[in-house]
Amino acid sequence: MKTLMKIAMALGLCLSMTAMPASSIAALQQGAKAPDFTLNAAQGGKPFSLSLKQVLRKGPVVLYFFPAAFTPGCTMEAHLFAEASDDFNKLGARVVGVTAGNIERVAEFSKSECRDKFAVAADPGAKVAAKYDTAIRRPGQSAISSRTSFVIAPNGSILLSYTDSKPQAHVEKTMAAVRAWKARQR
């Protein structure tokens, strides 16, 4: 019965996210300064403290917010970013996922669905999502984040802001932005 309830809740969340028009979310736009943050994160199931400022020292960051770990759309998006993570790394970029979940759930998600390829941070209460204007507040429920991807240059400037409830185009859009950034560095 618990499994059926979890499946029903996940499907309900996915349906509500699909019905929400992307234009209703006003995420930070290209050219804005990305807010710094430090969150509990995990990669390959191993927890650590993730600081955006420190990750940016290594190159651009593909920062993607997603509504909830282990839901169908978020799992698909994690698989797509995991498949592309080596290509992002070759371009000097790091992928970081952020969701309004707890660290235990995020640690398991980083291992199983992100395939140990990139870090996923827990953002309880969607506080960091709110700084990026991606938080969704629903009456009587906890805040979550919209499905929004950013590419952030090492200087903290947002190169791309892309919101779409469907996960498929996020990797393509962020990869194009990272490639364009890399081409300008030559």
Side-chain angles (χ1 to χ4, degrees):
M1 191 61 148
K2 276 187 172 181
T3 303
L4 287 176
M5 287 298 290
K6 286 181 182 178
I7 291 170
M9 288 175 60
L11 287 173
L13 177 63
C14 287
L15 289 174
S16 69
M17 289 302 297
T18 302
M20 186 179 306
S23 61
S24 69
I25 308 295
L28 290 180
Q29 294 300 303
Q30 182 176 335
K33 183 78 169 163
D36 190 26
F37 62 84
T38 300
L39 290 171
N40 290 323
Q43 184 167 350
K46 296 178 179 128
F48 65 97
S49 180
L50 183 139
S51 159
L52 178 63
K53 185 177 182 178
Q54 288 182 345
V55 179
L56 285 171
R57 288 182 183 151
K58 299 173 185 170
V61 172
V62 175
L63 178 67
Y64 85 95
F65 289 88
F66 61 98
F70 296 107
T71 57
C74 297
T75 296
M76 177 192 301
E77 186 175 30
H79 290 177
L80 293 170
F81 271 114
E83 289 169 11
S85 66
D86 289 341
D87 292 332
F88 280 114
N89 290 338
K90 287 175 189 170
L91 294 168
R94 301 293 171 260
V95 175
V96 175
V98 178
T99 190
N102 66 52
I103 190 60
E104 292 80 20
R105 191 154 175 83
V106 163
E108 182 58 33
F109 190 74
S110 76
K111 188 174 182 181
S112 65
E113 306 309 330
C114 302
R115 302 177 176 150
D116 303 338
K117 292 286 195 170
F118 59 90
V120 183
D123 181 20
K127 292 177 179 91
V128 171
K131 290 180 182 181
Y132 282 79
D133 294 333
T134 66
I136 300 170
R137 307 224 180 267
R138 302 164 300 162
Q141 297 180 359
S142 300
I144 61 170
S145 57
S146 66
R147 187 177 316 284
T148 301
S149 297
F150 297 94
V151 175
I152 305 168
N155 68 3
S157 144
I158 295 175
L159 301 172
L160 172 78
S161 174
Y162 178 72
T163 301
D164 190 339
S165 61
K166 298 176 194 116
Q168 293 86 348
H170 285 262
V171 170
E172 179 184 315
K173 300 276 186 187
T174 56
M175 184 67 75
V178 169
R179 283 190 175 125
W181 174 83
K182 185 75 171 175
R184 289 190 301 271
Q185 303 310 303
R186 292 182 183 161

